Amino acid sequence: MNRVGIIGYGISKFGKRTDASMYDLIWEAGSEAIRSSGVDKKDIDYMVVSNMGMWSSEELPAVVAGEVLGIKNAGLHRVEAACASGSSAIASAYDAIRSERSKIAIAVGIEKMNEVESETAIELIGRAGNFLWEYEFFGLTFPGYYALYATAYLNRYSGKEEDLALVSVKNHHYAHLNPIAHFGNEITVEDVMKSRYIASPLKLYDSSPITDGSAAVIMASEDIAKQYTDTPIWIDSIGSNLGTANLSKRNDFVHIEAAREAASKAYRMAKIDAEKPYRFIDGADVHDCFSIAEVLAYEDLGFAERGRGLDMLRNGETYIGGKIPVNVDGGLISKGHPIGATGVAMAVEASKQLLRKAEPGRQIDVKNGRFLTHNVGGTGHYAYVTVYSI
Amino acid sequence: MPGYIVKDEKTKNPVLLDLRELDIKYRIPVSRIEKFYQALDQGIIMGTKCPVCGARFFPPQAWCSDCGYSGEMEFYPLDTHGHLMTFTKIFAKPKSFSSFGDYTVGIAHLDKEDLNILAWIDESIQKPEVGMETVIKVEKRKEDGATVYFIASP
């Protein structure tokens, strides 16, 4: 079988990068990915760029990325799957290589969100979902969508806002060990509880920030990959699924069906027991755009039984040394969530962890040699679950 | 330094302040669901029903996503009695809602229709609770004069 492997990666510093343009960010991540892979950029024959756009001035970021990186003889397109755009870029490059349309591909994720002021960014991302029936008259925001899940979840399972705060405390802890993270400070439950409401019951510290950043990976077919490295990071499986545009068309607000289905497909392809997936993987990056989203992820991925996600947090089971370490890069909440770059950044993190190159204090124990990423677009509008291995 | 190069307030990094400005207002065609808006103006919320397979839809739509029928859908008034599934109060508002006060959005389940509706929760519900009984009411919203439906107390 013609496997597909990651042979190089790069990532920019995440944050409110008033010092760097979209071009600079693409260069930071893309040039590092190419350099670390050892490939000559002339041999890259396929390029895919994930970007949501809207808040940044360049309308065609994919062509910008090609020009910035000096890539000339590659097929090119841009992909959008909202916050899961990055994983869709990985999927697109994977498909191109598996179908033998490409031998060496580059996937670049880029988002420059701070070219507009926060209120406009809130406006633009709030429109992502169903504009006519959920935004035009009701002004739902992105935190608002997830807050609807949080209210329903806490009510159904008798959870407290203090429980959700534990997500942010854990992820800030690991972010402060990750030099590229947006935030570098540790926080307490009290800090989270004292922060202002954004969309009740979610508060500022329950939320991912508005982040600029870029990430890139070089991917190649198995025969080519082995010419460049003895340790490619293989993509074992990609499961993806869609969700309804209207949130109101979902049956309940205590799980994300698209993510559950994506996980089921990914586990089937990778021959992972969906009942106890944590026995087959060493760690995971999950889509914690808001604290509640990480809790839903535990359950949708089968790390916890339904309604028991908060217990994992209360028991510290998702710290390193626990049942399964989750978001030890700081997650979206603290590492930052540059929308189109996030899924590619997760691939970078999977690679670093499996190669045991994570910074001190946040390296997981690699036993099974597998790492999972869970990337949700919008509010369960798109979902990608990807299994990486070494 | 040219005038369009300004210092970022926090970091003091130089940024180019765009001289171009874009003001977008969409014109969204609604001819196939015009009946919905006509009824809304009379205080009635319409859903659509497929005459072939009986599937019900809200928001209203002019085709059947279930069986594939694309002829005339039946517009019918919804029985709006139901209960509140979830809610949130929006504090950090989008730019185009910045002149509004903080508002509460909810999703109500219409029990007899087995459909959900997302809308603002009106003032008749001071303390929303998951599971509480609700109806949908059409009102002229005081903030912008728009005719909209609200989740309300029966």
Side-chain angles (χ1 to χ4, degrees):
Chain A
M1 184 171 104
N2 191 14
R3 290 196 289 177
V4 177
I6 292 173
I7 59 171
Y9 59 81
I11 192 162
S12 76
K13 170 86 174 87
F14 282 12
K16 189 173 180 183
R17 294 288 307 273
T18 58
D19 64 310
S21 66
M22 174 184 270
Y23 325 121
D24 300 325
L25 292 170
I26 290 167
W27 177 254
E28 282 179 33
S31 64
E32 174 62 16
I34 296 169
R35 193 201 57 73
S36 69
S37 71
V39 304
D40 186 320
K41 66 186 179 198
K42 289 200 225 41
D43 294 326
I44 295 173
D45 56 22
Y46 183 78
M47 180 168 188
V48 52
V49 175
S50 50
N51 173 262
M52 179 94 179
M54 311 186 294
W55 27 61
S56 47
S57 48
E58 289 295 350
E59 271 199 22
L60 302 178
V63 293
V64 167
E67 190 174 296
V68 164
L69 297 174
I71 293 170
K72 295 188 172 126
N73 297 309
L76 172 68
H77 73 151
R78 169 192 184 174
V79 290
E80 177 279 307
C83 316
S85 298
S87 290
S88 76
I90 301 284
S92 174
Y94 174 90
D95 291 345
I97 293 167
R98 280 295 297 271
S99 65
E100 300 184 353
R101 283 192 296 125
S102 166
K103 286 187 186 308
I104 301 177
I106 183 169
V108 179
I110 170 69
E111 209 68 66
K112 181 69 188 159
M113 300 182 73
N114 286 291
E115 278 190 9
V116 296
E117 78 279 27
S118 301
E119 269 191 329
T120 301
I122 293 169
E123 168 97 28
L124 291 169
I125 200 164
R127 291 170 173 236
N130 187 283
F131 176 80
L132 181 56
W133 296 97
E134 299 192 344
Y135 187 83
E136 169 73 23
F137 293 105
F138 308 122
L140 250 191
T141 60
F142 187 40
Y145 280 114
Y146 269 100
L148 292 171
Y149 275 87
T151 299
Y153 186 95
L154 294 180
N155 181 74
R156 169 82 69 91
Y157 298 116
S158 306
K160 292 181 178 157
E161 292 179 32
E162 285 87 344
D163 297 321
L164 292 180
L166 295 170
V167 173
S168 207
V169 172
K170 171 177 67 72
N171 295 352
H172 273 75
H173 166 70
Y174 287 116
H176 108 280
L177 301 168
N178 185 354
I180 66 103
H182 191 143
F183 296 131
N185 58 315
E186 296 233 43
I187 58 167
T188 63
V189 169
E190 200 181 15
D191 292 329
V192 181
M193 293 305 292
K194 277 197 298 200
S195 66
R196 66 187 163 92
Y197 278 111
I198 298 296
S200 65
L202 300 177
K203 293 171 283 298
L204 185 66
Y205 276 143
D206 286 300
S207 314
S208 53
I210 296 169
T211 301
D212 305 320
S214 180
V217 293
I218 307 292
M219 293 160 62
S221 57
E222 184 162 8
D223 49 335
I224 304 282
K226 286 180 172 169
Q227 293 170 23
Y228 288 92
T229 174
D230 294 332
T231 53
I233 300 303
W234 305 111
I235 296 174
D236 288 357
S237 67
I238 302 175
S240 65
N241 214 82
L242 54 78
T244 62
N246 276 285
L247 214 64
S248 61
K249 292 203 175 187
R250 313 242 171 112
N251 293 331
D252 68 47
F253 301 96
V254 293
H255 89 292
I256 291 180
E257 180 60 17
R260 195 203 55 75
E261 190 57 46
S264 163
K265 289 175 182 174
Y267 290 154
R268 202 159 50 238
M269 278 185 272
K271 297 188 170 53
I272 287 174
D273 176 4
E275 297 294 313
K276 292 185 168 52
Y278 44 86
R279 289 193 177 168
F280 296 78
I281 52 181
D282 299 319
D285 252 20
V286 309
H287 199 89
D288 62 322
C289 47
F290 300 95
S291 52
I292 180 64
E294 180 161 324
V295 179
L296 299 177
Y298 294 166
E299 299 179 16
D300 292 333
L301 290 167
F303 296 171
E305 286 172 28
R306 287 271 158 232
R308 307 303 291 271
L310 294 174
D311 284 343
M312 288 195 90
L313 288 160
R314 294 179 190 123
N315 301 331
E317 292 176 89
T318 48
Y319 278 84
I320 290 171
K323 187 174 175 186
I324 176 157
V326 173
N327 289 339
V328 301
D329 57 355
L332 281 54
I333 280 187
S334 330
K335 182 172 83 169
H337 182 24
I339 309 283
T342 285
V344 185
M346 287 177 168
V348 171
E349 174 66 5
S351 304
K352 280 182 80 165
Q353 288 291 349
L354 291 172
L355 291 166
R356 297 178 173 83
K357 288 185 176 173
E359 289 75 14
R362 61 171 218 91
Q363 174 64 53
I364 61 169
D365 191 10
V366 180
K367 290 180 293 194
N368 300 300
R370 275 180 155 178
F371 192 92
L372 176 147
T373 66
H374 158 277
N375 193 191
V376 175
T379 320
H381 296 100
Y382 310 80
Y384 281 81
V385 173
T386 310
V387 178
Y388 297 90
S389 72
I390 190 162
Chain B
M1 201 64 101
Y4 48 76
I5 304 295
V6 300
K7 297 273 183 186
D8 178 71
E9 280 172 24
K10 268 193 186 163
T11 60
K12 306 297 172 205
N13 286 317
V15 293
L16 187 151
L17 193 63
D18 188 5
L19 299 174
R20 313 277 72 83
E21 201 161 331
L22 194 59
D23 184 11
I24 295 182
K25 224 175 181 33
Y26 296 109
R27 300 170 74 85
I28 304 167
V30 293
S31 56
R32 292 184 199 173
I33 51 166
E34 195 180 3
K35 283 179 191 162
F36 170 81
Y37 293 102
Q38 284 165 349
L40 187 74
D41 214 32
Q42 307 301 313
I44 298 162
I45 310 280
M46 295 278 214
T48 53
K49 199 187 290 179
C50 173
V52 177
C53 75
R56 294 164 178 232
F57 296 95
F58 188 87
Q61 58 183 61
W63 63 94
C64 180
S65 308
D66 279 14
C67 76
Y69 175 72
S70 61
E72 196 88 351
M73 292 287 273
E74 182 191 331
F75 282 77
Y76 75 105
L78 295 173
D79 182 328
T80 69
H81 283 86
H83 65 275
L84 189 61
M85 299 177 82
T86 186
F87 62 91
T88 177
K89 188 168 186 178
I90 309 288
F91 293 88
K93 293 180 283 292
K95 192 169 190 177
S96 65
F97 282 84
S98 57
S99 61
F100 290 65
D102 299 335
Y103 45 87
T104 303
V105 183
I107 297 177
H109 183 70
L110 310 189
D111 293 340
K112 287 202 180 136
E113 307 290 351
D114 199 19
L115 292 169
N116 302 332
I117 288 190
L118 182 146
W120 280 15
I121 293 177
D122 89 345
E123 288 165 354
S124 63
I125 299 176
Q126 281 300 311
K127 197 176 175 306
E129 277 175 37
V130 173
M132 75 192 310
E133 210 184 323
T134 56
V135 290
I136 308 297
K137 278 185 186 163
V138 180
E139 292 169 33
K140 202 160 225 174
R141 187 158 63 186
K142 60 178 183 297
E143 286 90 344
D144 58 359
T147 303
V148 256
Y149 46 93
F150 284 80
I151 296 172
S153 189

